[in-house]
Amino acid sequence: EVQLVESGGGLVQPGRSLRLSCAASGFTFDDYAMHWVRQAPGMGLEWVSGISWNSGSIGYADSVKGRFTISRDNAKNSLYLQMNSLRAEDTAFYYCAKDMGITASGNFDYWGQGTLVTVSS
Amino acid sequence: SSELTQDPAVSVALGQTVRITCQGDSLRSYYASWYQQKPGQAPVLVIYGKNNRPSGIPDRFSGSRSGNTASLTITGAQAEDEADYYCNSRDSSGNHVVFGGGTKLTVL
């Protein structure tokens, strides 16, 4: 059974940093691209960042470029999102999602349950 | 980057057919995927590619594309289909992914 379990969310002050993790199991992690997608409370889905199977191709939404860094450790079956210079508008549930391809196809067949990040003073 | 546009809300009578649309320039090059999200739950993939359903998705869900518009059709809508539906695709550059704003489906 495929499982994606996010962790690392919480309350953080504006301007501070937070690191999210996603532990993957039930599939061959290094065969697939992975993504972070966020959803502000009551709002729609927003793609944040994606990384190919071997970290050779990485992309970011304009809203987080230069502040967020995605990475993966295939030996640990884990995906990460380092979030720096956090803003109130970064407040959202952050989902880890598995792509169906080795690079970003846009087809996300499995999602975690999400971790809530709240940016507030 | 490019955008995908969805109608904010659509309603359908129980057992009838409904089409939810998604418009954007990237759809001329890439197929849309469709996701169903119920309150308090993570999104679930219901359609991907030309018209593919993941295992466990009922065959009343189907997808199509014409020009810059992708459509999700539910034939014989059920009460349990009431949810938010999102489309996504790779953007025009091919390096990013973009989501539509979502459509709230009400089954009457």
Side-chain angles (χ1 to χ4, degrees):
Chain A
E1 178 192 7
V2 171
Q3 286 197 318
L4 298 171
V5 180
E6 303 94 338
S7 61
L11 175 63
V12 61
Q13 293 180 328
R16 304 298 291 265
S17 299
L18 208 58
R19 188 194 196 207
L20 304 183
S21 299
C22 171
S25 61
F27 65 101
T28 305
F29 184 69
D30 55 9
D31 275 354
Y32 299 96
M34 297 292 296
H35 302 265
W36 289 99
V37 178
R38 69 184 180 183
Q39 185 171 35
M43 302 297 285
L45 300 174
E46 179 188 15
W47 177 79
V48 173
S49 181
I51 185 168
S52 65
W53 67 284
N54 64 352
S55 305
S57 178
I58 288 175
Y60 298 97
D62 290 344
S63 57
V64 306
K65 196 169 187 177
R67 300 187 299 122
F68 290 11
T69 301
I70 192 172
S71 62
R72 64 189 295 162
D73 185 335
N74 287 343
K76 295 183 178 180
N77 289 346
S78 293
L79 176 72
Y80 306 101
L81 186 68
Q82 177 67 41
M83 303 186 295
N84 298 332
S85 303
L86 282 162
R87 306 167 180 167
E89 53 265 36
D90 295 319
T91 294
F93 284 93
Y94 284 74
Y95 293 101
C96 166
K98 172 188 168 293
D99 200 291
M100 296 181 76
I102 58 172
T103 58
S105 70
N107 304 320
F108 302 166
D109 58 347
Y110 289 95
W111 298 64
Q113 284 304 304
T115 187
L116 179 61
V117 173
T118 303
V119 184
S120 175
S121 55
Chain B
S1 63
S2 60
E3 295 182 347
L4 296 178
T5 301
Q6 297 182 242
D7 291 329
V10 171
S11 62
V12 61
L14 183 67
Q16 296 303 299
T17 296
V18 62
R19 177 178 293 181
I20 298 170
T21 61
C22 173
Q23 286 189 302
D25 288 341
S26 63
L27 299 179
R28 296 185 185 278
S29 304
Y30 302 105
Y31 287 111
S33 295
W34 290 93
Y35 303 86
Q36 176 192 73
Q37 187 181 34
K38 297 181 179 180
Q41 298 183 17
V44 173
L45 179 67
V46 295
I47 290 290
Y48 67 97
K50 190 174 183 180
N51 181 21
N52 301 301
R53 285 177 288 105
S55 175
I57 301 301
D59 61 6
R60 62 179 179 271
F61 290 89
S62 63
S64 62
R65 181 181 71 175
S66 177
N68 72 337
T69 301
S71 299
L72 172 70
T73 300
I74 307 175
T75 304
Q78 301 300 303
E80 60 264 32
D81 299 334
E82 187 163 288
D84 293 326
Y85 289 85
Y86 295 90
C87 61
N88 83 339
S89 80
R90 294 168 69 177
D91 76 351
S92 299
S93 74
N95 294 324
H96 294 71
V97 175
V98 61
F99 279 90
T103 298
K104 182 177 182 59
L105 176 67
T106 301
V107 180
L108 303 172

PDB file of all heavy atoms in Angstrom, chain A residues 56-92:
ATOM      1  N   GLY A  56      17.457  15.749 -10.954  1.00  0.00           N
ATOM      2  CA  GLY A  56      18.051  16.469 -12.065  1.00  0.00           C
ATOM      3  C   GLY A  56      17.189  17.571 -12.621  1.00  0.00           C
ATOM      4  O   GLY A  56      17.677  18.489 -13.293  1.00  0.00           O
ATOM      5  N   SER A  57      15.894  17.519 -12.368  1.00  0.00           N
ATOM      6  CA  SER A  57      14.962  18.533 -12.839  1.00  0.00           C
ATOM      7  C   SER A  57      14.111  18.989 -11.668  1.00  0.00           C
ATOM      8  O   SER A  57      13.447  18.182 -11.017  1.00  0.00           O
ATOM      9  CB  SER A  57      14.075  17.984 -13.947  1.00  0.00           C
ATOM     10  OG  SER A  57      13.142  18.960 -14.378  1.00  0.00           O
ATOM     11  N   ILE A  58      14.161  20.281 -11.397  1.00  0.00           N
ATOM     12  CA  ILE A  58      13.439  20.864 -10.259  1.00  0.00           C
ATOM     13  C   ILE A  58      12.706  22.109 -10.729  1.00  0.00           C
ATOM     14  O   ILE A  58      13.240  22.880 -11.541  1.00  0.00           O
ATOM     15  CB  ILE A  58      14.411  21.214  -9.115  1.00  0.00           C
ATOM     16  CG1 ILE A  58      14.914  19.933  -8.432  1.00  0.00           C
ATOM     17  CG2 ILE A  58      13.768  22.144  -8.103  1.00  0.00           C
ATOM     18  CD1 ILE A  58      15.974  20.165  -7.362  1.00  0.00           C
ATOM     19  N   GLY A  59      11.493  22.296 -10.238  1.00  0.00           N
ATOM     20  CA  GLY A  59      10.723  23.481 -10.578  1.00  0.00           C
ATOM     21  C   GLY A  59      10.027  24.065  -9.369  1.00  0.00           C
ATOM     22  O   GLY A  59       9.727  23.347  -8.409  1.00  0.00           O
ATOM     23  N   TYR A  60       9.780  25.371  -9.423  1.00  0.00           N
ATOM     24  CA  TYR A  60       9.118  26.075  -8.334  1.00  0.00           C
ATOM     25  C   TYR A  60       8.050  27.016  -8.892  1.00  0.00           C
ATOM     26  O   TYR A  60       8.211  27.592  -9.970  1.00  0.00           O
ATOM     27  CB  TYR A  60      10.112  26.921  -7.532  1.00  0.00           C
ATOM     28  CG  TYR A  60      11.204  26.133  -6.857  1.00  0.00           C
ATOM     29  CD1 TYR A  60      12.459  26.003  -7.451  1.00  0.00           C
ATOM     30  CD2 TYR A  60      10.984  25.517  -5.634  1.00  0.00           C
ATOM     31  CE1 TYR A  60      13.468  25.281  -6.843  1.00  0.00           C
ATOM     32  CE2 TYR A  60      11.983  24.794  -5.013  1.00  0.00           C
ATOM     33  CZ  TYR A  60      13.223  24.673  -5.630  1.00  0.00           C
ATOM     34  OH  TYR A  60      14.218  23.950  -5.018  1.00  0.00           O
ATOM     35  N   ALA A  61       6.985  27.174  -8.137  1.00  0.00           N
ATOM     36  CA  ALA A  61       6.014  28.209  -8.451  1.00  0.00           C
ATOM     37  C   ALA A  61       6.672  29.565  -8.241  1.00  0.00           C
ATOM     38  O   ALA A  61       7.553  29.721  -7.386  1.00  0.00           O
ATOM     39  CB  ALA A  61       4.789  28.067  -7.553  1.00  0.00           C
ATOM     40  N   ASP A  62       6.243  30.557  -9.010  1.00  0.00           N
ATOM     41  CA  ASP A  62       6.823  31.897  -8.878  1.00  0.00           C
ATOM     42  C   ASP A  62       6.663  32.433  -7.452  1.00  0.00           C
ATOM     43  O   ASP A  62       7.514  33.181  -6.973  1.00  0.00           O
ATOM     44  CB  ASP A  62       6.158  32.850  -9.867  1.00  0.00           C
ATOM     45  CG  ASP A  62       6.537  32.559 -11.310  1.00  0.00           C
ATOM     46  OD1 ASP A  62       7.530  31.836 -11.537  1.00  0.00           O
ATOM     47  OD2 ASP A  62       5.812  33.049 -12.209  1.00  0.00           O
ATOM     48  N   SER A  63       5.582  32.031  -6.786  1.00  0.00           N
ATOM     49  CA  SER A  63       5.274  32.558  -5.461  1.00  0.00           C
ATOM     50  C   SER A  63       6.273  32.110  -4.394  1.00  0.00           C
ATOM     51  O   SER A  63       6.342  32.713  -3.315  1.00  0.00           O
ATOM     52  CB  SER A  63       3.859  32.134  -5.038  1.00  0.00           C
ATOM     53  OG  SER A  63       3.739  30.720  -5.064  1.00  0.00           O
ATOM     54  N   VAL A  64       7.041  31.058  -4.668  1.00  0.00           N
ATOM     55  CA  VAL A  64       7.985  30.553  -3.653  1.00  0.00           C
ATOM     56  C   VAL A  64       9.418  30.509  -4.144  1.00  0.00           C
ATOM     57  O   VAL A  64      10.335  30.224  -3.366  1.00  0.00           O
ATOM     58  CB  VAL A  64       7.576  29.141  -3.163  1.00  0.00           C
ATOM     59  CG1 VAL A  64       6.138  29.136  -2.680  1.00  0.00           C
ATOM     60  CG2 VAL A  64       7.799  28.095  -4.248  1.00  0.00           C
ATOM     61  N   LYS A  65       9.639  30.805  -5.419  1.00  0.00           N
ATOM     62  CA  LYS A  65      10.991  30.722  -5.989  1.00  0.00           C
ATOM     63  C   LYS A  65      11.934  31.652  -5.260  1.00  0.00           C
ATOM     64  O   LYS A  65      11.603  32.811  -5.001  1.00  0.00           O
ATOM     65  CB  LYS A  65      10.945  31.058  -7.476  1.00  0.00           C
ATOM     66  CG  LYS A  65      12.178  30.639  -8.247  1.00  0.00           C
ATOM     67  CD  LYS A  65      11.952  30.753  -9.739  1.00  0.00           C
ATOM     68  CE  LYS A  65      13.124  30.181 -10.513  1.00  0.00           C
ATOM     69  NZ  LYS A  65      12.903  30.217 -11.984  1.00  0.00           N
ATOM     70  N   GLY A  66      13.091  31.113  -4.908  1.00  0.00           N
ATOM     71  CA  GLY A  66      14.083  31.884  -4.174  1.00  0.00           C
ATOM     72  C   GLY A  66      13.932  31.790  -2.670  1.00  0.00           C
ATOM     73  O   GLY A  66      14.840  32.187  -1.930  1.00  0.00           O
ATOM     74  N   ARG A  67      12.816  31.280  -2.186  1.00  0.00           N
ATOM     75  CA  ARG A  67      12.585  31.139  -0.739  1.00  0.00           C
ATOM     76  C   ARG A  67      12.490  29.669  -0.319  1.00  0.00           C
ATOM     77  O   ARG A  67      12.887  29.326   0.796  1.00  0.00           O
ATOM     78  CB  ARG A  67      11.296  31.859  -0.335  1.00  0.00           C
ATOM     79  CG  ARG A  67      11.289  33.344  -0.618  1.00  0.00           C
ATOM     80  CD  ARG A  67      10.051  34.027  -0.026  1.00  0.00           C
ATOM     81  NE  ARG A  67       8.801  33.501  -0.577  1.00  0.00           N
ATOM     82  CZ  ARG A  67       7.830  32.960   0.146  1.00  0.00           C
ATOM     83  NH1 ARG A  67       7.944  32.860   1.450  1.00  0.00           N
ATOM     84  NH2 ARG A  67       6.728  32.519  -0.444  1.00  0.00           N
ATOM     85  N   PHE A  68      11.924  28.831  -1.181  1.00  0.00           N
ATOM     86  CA  PHE A  68      11.731  27.426  -0.862  1.00  0.00           C
ATOM     87  C   PHE A  68      12.721  26.579  -1.656  1.00  0.00           C
ATOM     88  O   PHE A  68      13.073  26.907  -2.798  1.00  0.00           O
ATOM     89  CB  PHE A  68      10.314  26.968  -1.218  1.00  0.00           C
ATOM     90  CG  PHE A  68       9.216  27.525  -0.334  1.00  0.00           C
ATOM     91  CD1 PHE A  68       9.454  28.558   0.577  1.00  0.00           C
ATOM     92  CD2 PHE A  68       7.938  27.019  -0.425  1.00  0.00           C
ATOM     93  CE1 PHE A  68       8.454  29.060   1.376  1.00  0.00           C
ATOM     94  CE2 PHE A  68       6.910  27.512   0.373  1.00  0.00           C
ATOM     95  CZ  PHE A  68       7.172  28.532   1.268  1.00  0.00           C
ATOM     96  N   THR A  69      13.133  25.449  -1.055  1.00  0.00           N
ATOM     97  CA  THR A  69      14.031  24.507  -1.727  1.00  0.00           C
ATOM     98  C   THR A  69      13.497  23.098  -1.542  1.00  0.00           C
ATOM     99  O   THR A  69      13.303  22.643  -0.407  1.00  0.00           O
ATOM    100  CB  THR A  69      15.455  24.595  -1.170  1.00  0.00           C
ATOM    101  OG1 THR A  69      15.955  25.928  -1.331  1.00  0.00           O
ATOM    102  CG2 THR A  69      16.378  23.626  -1.915  1.00  0.00           C
ATOM    103  N   ILE A  70      13.279  22.418  -2.650  1.00  0.00           N
ATOM    104  CA  ILE A  70      12.836  21.022  -2.604  1.00  0.00           C
ATOM    105  C   ILE A  70      14.043  20.112  -2.737  1.00  0.00           C
ATOM    106  O   ILE A  70      15.016  20.449  -3.433  1.00  0.00           O
ATOM    107  CB  ILE A  70      11.805  20.739  -3.732  1.00  0.00           C
ATOM    108  CG1 ILE A  70      11.125  19.386  -3.523  1.00  0.00           C
ATOM    109  CG2 ILE A  70      12.457  20.821  -5.108  1.00  0.00           C
ATOM    110  CD1 ILE A  70       9.957  19.139  -4.498  1.00  0.00           C
ATOM    111  N   SER A  71      13.991  18.984  -2.065  1.00  0.00           N
ATOM    112  CA  SER A  71      15.068  18.004  -2.183  1.00  0.00           C
ATOM    113  C   SER A  71      14.503  16.627  -1.863  1.00  0.00           C
ATOM    114  O   SER A  71      13.391  16.508  -1.345  1.00  0.00           O
ATOM    115  CB  SER A  71      16.236  18.338  -1.247  1.00  0.00           C
ATOM    116  OG  SER A  71      15.816  18.304   0.115  1.00  0.00           O
ATOM    117  N   ARG A  72      15.266  15.608  -2.178  1.00  0.00           N
ATOM    118  CA  ARG A  72      14.858  14.242  -1.885  1.00  0.00           C
ATOM    119  C   ARG A  72      16.075  13.423  -1.520  1.00  0.00           C
ATOM    120  O   ARG A  72      17.192  13.712  -1.964  1.00  0.00           O
ATOM    121  CB  ARG A  72      14.112  13.626  -3.060  1.00  0.00           C
ATOM    122  CG  ARG A  72      14.934  13.451  -4.321  1.00  0.00           C
ATOM    123  CD  ARG A  72      14.048  13.047  -5.511  1.00  0.00           C
ATOM    124  NE  ARG A  72      13.450  11.726  -5.320  1.00  0.00           N
ATOM    125  CZ  ARG A  72      12.394  11.290  -6.018  1.00  0.00           C
ATOM    126  NH1 ARG A  72      11.826  12.068  -6.925  1.00  0.00           N
ATOM    127  NH2 ARG A  72      11.926  10.075  -5.803  1.00  0.00           N
ATOM    128  N   ASP A  73      15.852  12.391  -0.720  1.00  0.00           N
ATOM    129  CA  ASP A  73      16.893  11.437  -0.359  1.00  0.00           C
ATOM    130  C   ASP A  73      16.349  10.063  -0.715  1.00  0.00           C
ATOM    131  O   ASP A  73      15.520   9.499   0.029  1.00  0.00           O
ATOM    132  CB  ASP A  73      17.215  11.537   1.133  1.00  0.00           C
ATOM    133  CG  ASP A  73      18.390  10.650   1.541  1.00  0.00           C
ATOM    134  OD1 ASP A  73      18.644   9.641   0.850  1.00  0.00           O
ATOM    135  OD2 ASP A  73      19.022  10.949   2.556  1.00  0.00           O
ATOM    136  N   ASN A  74      16.754   9.549  -1.853  1.00  0.00           N
ATOM    137  CA  ASN A  74      16.208   8.285  -2.322  1.00  0.00           C
ATOM    138  C   ASN A  74      16.601   7.116  -1.407  1.00  0.00           C
ATOM    139  O   ASN A  74      15.859   6.132  -1.316  1.00  0.00           O
ATOM    140  CB  ASN A  74      16.645   8.017  -3.758  1.00  0.00           C
ATOM    141  CG  ASN A  74      15.928   8.922  -4.756  1.00  0.00           C
ATOM    142  OD1 ASN A  74      14.900   9.532  -4.446  1.00  0.00           O
ATOM    143  ND2 ASN A  74      16.477   9.027  -5.957  1.00  0.00           N
ATOM    144  N   ALA A  75      17.728   7.225  -0.744  1.00  0.00           N
ATOM    145  CA  ALA A  75      18.145   6.165   0.176  1.00  0.00           C
ATOM    146  C   ALA A  75      17.226   6.089   1.390  1.00  0.00           C
ATOM    147  O   ALA A  75      17.075   5.029   2.004  1.00  0.00           O
ATOM    148  CB  ALA A  75      19.583   6.393   0.621  1.00  0.00           C
ATOM    149  N   LYS A  76      16.610   7.223   1.724  1.00  0.00           N
ATOM    150  CA  LYS A  76      15.715   7.276   2.884  1.00  0.00           C
ATOM    151  C   LYS A  76      14.241   7.335   2.481  1.00  0.00           C
ATOM    152  O   LYS A  76      13.365   7.496   3.335  1.00  0.00           O
ATOM    153  CB  LYS A  76      16.052   8.489   3.752  1.00  0.00           C
ATOM    154  CG  LYS A  76      17.428   8.421   4.398  1.00  0.00           C
ATOM    155  CD  LYS A  76      17.673   9.616   5.303  1.00  0.00           C
ATOM    156  CE  LYS A  76      19.034   9.518   5.989  1.00  0.00           C
ATOM    157  NZ  LYS A  76      19.299  10.677   6.872  1.00  0.00           N
ATOM    158  N   ASN A  77      13.957   7.221   1.182  1.00  0.00           N
ATOM    159  CA  ASN A  77      12.575   7.298   0.685  1.00  0.00           C
ATOM    160  C   ASN A  77      11.869   8.541   1.224  1.00  0.00           C
ATOM    161  O   ASN A  77      10.712   8.465   1.685  1.00  0.00           O
ATOM    162  CB  ASN A  77      11.785   6.045   1.081  1.00  0.00           C
ATOM    163  CG  ASN A  77      12.238   4.814   0.316  1.00  0.00           C
ATOM    164  OD1 ASN A  77      12.951   4.900  -0.688  1.00  0.00           O
ATOM    165  ND2 ASN A  77      11.830   3.651   0.795  1.00  0.00           N
ATOM    166  N   SER A  78      12.543   9.658   1.146  1.00  0.00           N
ATOM    167  CA  SER A  78      12.012  10.879   1.742  1.00  0.00           C
ATOM    168  C   SER A  78      12.116  12.078   0.814  1.00  0.00           C
ATOM    169  O   SER A  78      13.074  12.216   0.053  1.00  0.00           O
ATOM    170  CB  SER A  78      12.741  11.197   3.053  1.00  0.00           C
ATOM    171  OG  SER A  78      12.456  10.212   4.037  1.00  0.00           O
ATOM    172  N   LEU A  79      11.117  12.940   0.935  1.00  0.00           N
ATOM    173  CA  LEU A  79      11.031  14.201   0.204  1.00  0.00           C
ATOM    174  C   LEU A  79      11.030  15.326   1.225  1.00  0.00           C
ATOM    175  O   LEU A  79      10.465  15.178   2.311  1.00  0.00           O
ATOM    176  CB  LEU A  79       9.739  14.234  -0.608  1.00  0.00           C
ATOM    177  CG  LEU A  79       9.413  15.512  -1.388  1.00  0.00           C
ATOM    178  CD1 LEU A  79      10.352  15.644  -2.593  1.00  0.00           C
ATOM    179  CD2 LEU A  79       7.954  15.485  -1.846  1.00  0.00           C
ATOM    180  N   TYR A  80      11.650  16.442   0.862  1.00  0.00           N
ATOM    181  CA  TYR A  80      11.751  17.560   1.800  1.00  0.00           C
ATOM    182  C   TYR A  80      11.368  18.874   1.126  1.00  0.00           C
ATOM    183  O   TYR A  80      11.442  19.019  -0.096  1.00  0.00           O
ATOM    184  CB  TYR A  80      13.189  17.678   2.330  1.00  0.00           C
ATOM    185  CG  TYR A  80      13.722  16.413   2.926  1.00  0.00           C
ATOM    186  CD1 TYR A  80      14.592  15.592   2.215  1.00  0.00           C
ATOM    187  CD2 TYR A  80      13.350  16.016   4.215  1.00  0.00           C
ATOM    188  CE1 TYR A  80      15.074  14.416   2.752  1.00  0.00           C
ATOM    189  CE2 TYR A  80      13.834  14.830   4.763  1.00  0.00           C
ATOM    190  CZ  TYR A  80      14.693  14.041   4.020  1.00  0.00           C
ATOM    191  OH  TYR A  80      15.169  12.868   4.564  1.00  0.00           O
ATOM    192  N   LEU A  81      10.971  19.833   1.962  1.00  0.00           N
ATOM    193  CA  LEU A  81      10.747  21.193   1.494  1.00  0.00           C
ATOM    194  C   LEU A  81      11.286  22.145   2.554  1.00  0.00           C
ATOM    195  O   LEU A  81      10.737  22.220   3.650  1.00  0.00           O
ATOM    196  CB  LEU A  81       9.258  21.478   1.246  1.00  0.00           C
ATOM    197  CG  LEU A  81       8.967  22.850   0.614  1.00  0.00           C
ATOM    198  CD1 LEU A  81       9.500  22.898  -0.824  1.00  0.00           C
ATOM    199  CD2 LEU A  81       7.466  23.138   0.624  1.00  0.00           C
ATOM    200  N   GLN A  82      12.375  22.817   2.223  1.00  0.00           N
ATOM    201  CA  GLN A  82      12.942  23.825   3.110  1.00  0.00           C
ATOM    202  C   GLN A  82      12.296  25.163   2.776  1.00  0.00           C
ATOM    203  O   GLN A  82      12.386  25.628   1.638  1.00  0.00           O
ATOM    204  CB  GLN A  82      14.457  23.913   2.925  1.00  0.00           C
ATOM    205  CG  GLN A  82      15.132  24.991   3.760  1.00  0.00           C
ATOM    206  CD  GLN A  82      15.066  24.696   5.249  1.00  0.00           C
ATOM    207  OE1 GLN A  82      15.247  23.562   5.680  1.00  0.00           O
ATOM    208  NE2 GLN A  82      14.781  25.724   6.046  1.00  0.00           N
ATOM    209  N   MET A  83      11.625  25.746   3.755  1.00  0.00           N
ATOM    210  CA  MET A  83      10.886  26.988   3.533  1.00  0.00           C
ATOM    211  C   MET A  83      11.536  28.099   4.349  1.00  0.00           C
ATOM    212  O   MET A  83      11.554  28.040   5.585  1.00  0.00           O
ATOM    213  CB  MET A  83       9.435  26.794   3.950  1.00  0.00           C
ATOM    214  CG  MET A  83       8.744  25.647   3.218  1.00  0.00           C
ATOM    215  SD  MET A  83       6.980  25.538   3.585  1.00  0.00           S
ATOM    216  CE  MET A  83       7.024  25.146   5.308  1.00  0.00           C
ATOM    217  N   ASN A  84      12.092  29.085   3.667  1.00  0.00           N
ATOM    218  CA  ASN A  84      12.727  30.218   4.319  1.00  0.00           C
ATOM    219  C   ASN A  84      11.915  31.488   4.083  1.00  0.00           C
ATOM    220  O   ASN A  84      11.058  31.538   3.195  1.00  0.00           O
ATOM    221  CB  ASN A  84      14.148  30.407   3.786  1.00  0.00           C
ATOM    222  CG  ASN A  84      15.045  29.217   4.058  1.00  0.00           C
ATOM    223  OD1 ASN A  84      14.843  28.484   5.039  1.00  0.00           O
ATOM    224  ND2 ASN A  84      16.032  29.018   3.210  1.00  0.00           N
ATOM    225  N   SER A  85      12.204  32.510   4.875  1.00  0.00           N
ATOM    226  CA  SER A  85      11.550  33.823   4.728  1.00  0.00           C
ATOM    227  C   SER A  85      10.035  33.670   4.604  1.00  0.00           C
ATOM    228  O   SER A  85       9.408  34.217   3.685  1.00  0.00           O
ATOM    229  CB  SER A  85      12.110  34.550   3.501  1.00  0.00           C
ATOM    230  OG  SER A  85      13.508  34.694   3.603  1.00  0.00           O
ATOM    231  N   LEU A  86       9.462  32.918   5.518  1.00  0.00           N
ATOM    232  CA  LEU A  86       8.026  32.624   5.436  1.00  0.00           C
ATOM    233  C   LEU A  86       7.173  33.878   5.603  1.00  0.00           C
ATOM    234  O   LEU A  86       7.523  34.800   6.355  1.00  0.00           O
ATOM    235  CB  LEU A  86       7.661  31.566   6.472  1.00  0.00           C
ATOM    236  CG  LEU A  86       8.058  30.140   6.060  1.00  0.00           C
ATOM    237  CD1 LEU A  86       8.089  29.213   7.260  1.00  0.00           C
ATOM    238  CD2 LEU A  86       7.114  29.618   4.989  1.00  0.00           C
ATOM    239  N   ARG A  87       6.067  33.883   4.898  1.00  0.00           N
ATOM    240  CA  ARG A  87       5.129  35.000   4.894  1.00  0.00           C
ATOM    241  C   ARG A  87       3.748  34.509   5.335  1.00  0.00           C
ATOM    242  O   ARG A  87       3.451  33.328   5.242  1.00  0.00           O
ATOM    243  CB  ARG A  87       5.025  35.594   3.489  1.00  0.00           C
ATOM    244  CG  ARG A  87       6.346  35.991   2.864  1.00  0.00           C
ATOM    245  CD  ARG A  87       6.171  36.253   1.375  1.00  0.00           C
ATOM    246  NE  ARG A  87       7.428  36.651   0.717  1.00  0.00           N
ATOM    247  CZ  ARG A  87       7.599  36.690  -0.590  1.00  0.00           C
ATOM    248  NH1 ARG A  87       6.592  36.375  -1.400  1.00  0.00           N
ATOM    249  NH2 ARG A  87       8.761  37.077  -1.094  1.00  0.00           N
ATOM    250  N   ALA A  88       2.898  35.423   5.725  1.00  0.00           N
ATOM    251  CA  ALA A  88       1.549  35.045   6.139  1.00  0.00           C
ATOM    252  C   ALA A  88       0.824  34.308   5.021  1.00  0.00           C
ATOM    253  O   ALA A  88       0.057  33.366   5.276  1.00  0.00           O
ATOM    254  CB  ALA A  88       0.770  36.293   6.549  1.00  0.00           C
ATOM    255  N   GLU A  89       1.086  34.693   3.792  1.00  0.00           N
ATOM    256  CA  GLU A  89       0.404  34.058   2.653  1.00  0.00           C
ATOM    257  C   GLU A  89       0.904  32.641   2.355  1.00  0.00           C
ATOM    258  O   GLU A  89       0.360  31.973   1.482  1.00  0.00           O
ATOM    259  CB  GLU A  89       0.509  34.926   1.389  1.00  0.00           C
ATOM    260  CG  GLU A  89       1.907  35.334   1.002  1.00  0.00           C
ATOM    261  CD  GLU A  89       2.284  36.701   1.543  1.00  0.00           C
ATOM    262  OE1 GLU A  89       1.868  37.051   2.683  1.00  0.00           O
ATOM    263  OE2 GLU A  89       3.020  37.428   0.833  1.00  0.00           O
ATOM    264  N   ASP A  90       1.910  32.195   3.060  1.00  0.00           N
ATOM    265  CA  ASP A  90       2.364  30.809   2.940  1.00  0.00           C
ATOM    266  C   ASP A  90       1.555  29.880   3.852  1.00  0.00           C
ATOM    267  O   ASP A  90       1.742  28.657   3.814  1.00  0.00           O
ATOM    268  CB  ASP A  90       3.842  30.686   3.291  1.00  0.00           C
ATOM    269  CG  ASP A  90       4.741  31.426   2.316  1.00  0.00           C
ATOM    270  OD1 ASP A  90       4.469  31.367   1.103  1.00  0.00           O
ATOM    271  OD2 ASP A  90       5.706  32.067   2.781  1.00  0.00           O
ATOM    272  N   THR A  91       0.680  30.438   4.674  1.00  0.00           N
ATOM    273  CA  THR A  91      -0.165  29.624   5.552  1.00  0.00           C
ATOM    274  C   THR A  91      -1.050  28.716   4.719  1.00  0.00           C
ATOM    275  O   THR A  91      -1.805  29.184   3.858  1.00  0.00           O
ATOM    276  CB  THR A  91      -1.032  30.532   6.439  1.00  0.00           C
ATOM    277  OG1 THR A  91      -0.188  31.258   7.328  1.00  0.00           O
ATOM    278  CG2 THR A  91      -2.037  29.713   7.248  1.00  0.00           C
ATOM    279  N   ALA A  92      -0.944  27.415   4.946  1.00  0.00           N
ATOM    280  CA  ALA A  92      -1.676  26.435   4.137  1.00  0.00           C
ATOM    281  C   ALA A  92      -1.428  25.028   4.658  1.00  0.00           C
ATOM    282  O   ALA A  92      -0.505  24.799   5.434  1.00  0.00           O
ATOM    283  CB  ALA A  92      -1.238  26.514   2.676  1.00  0.00           C
TER     284      ALA A  92
END
